[in-house]
Amino acid sequence: MTTMGIDPADLSDDDLLRELRQLHVTRTDTFLHGSDDALATHTSRTNEMETEYLRRHPERDVDPNRLREGARAR
């Protein structure tokens, strides 16, 4: 079930990534200044997009520096 807009499953890979980037750009502003409803909608939509991305890319490229061992090495 989609909270708003186009179902993420219907987006091309390029469109999905563009939407994810835009959601991440607007996250802080929504968190700090949005209404409770706006924050809930933003969170839900972000979850939908991220879930779809992970469904499509279960073997996504993980930066070793973002893992616990990589952090310890720094």
Side-chain angles (χ1 to χ4, degrees), residues 1-73:
M1 182 169 153
T2 300
T3 57
M4 60 183 280
I6 298 171
D7 186 335
D10 294 336
L11 296 171
S12 69
D13 283 348
D14 288 342
D15 289 339
L16 178 62
L17 201 50
R18 185 191 72 242
E19 291 295 320
L20 273 167
R21 286 186 175 124
Q22 184 59 32
L23 284 164
H24 285 254
V25 164
T26 60
R27 181 63 182 179
T28 300
D29 190 52
T30 304
F31 179 73
L32 293 175
H33 308 293
S35 67
D36 290 345
D37 285 343
L39 182 58
T41 299
H42 196 281
T43 299
S44 180
R45 187 65 169 164
T46 300
N47 287 339
E48 289 173 357
M49 295 288 180
E50 288 177 347
T51 298
E52 178 60 21
Y53 183 88
L54 292 173
R55 184 190 70 76
R56 293 183 194 187
H57 304 282
E59 302 294 326
R60 69 191 195 287
D61 185 31
V62 176
D63 182 347
N65 291 318
R66 300 292 305 227
L67 301 173
R68 190 172 294 170
E69 288 180 19
R72 287 186 186 138

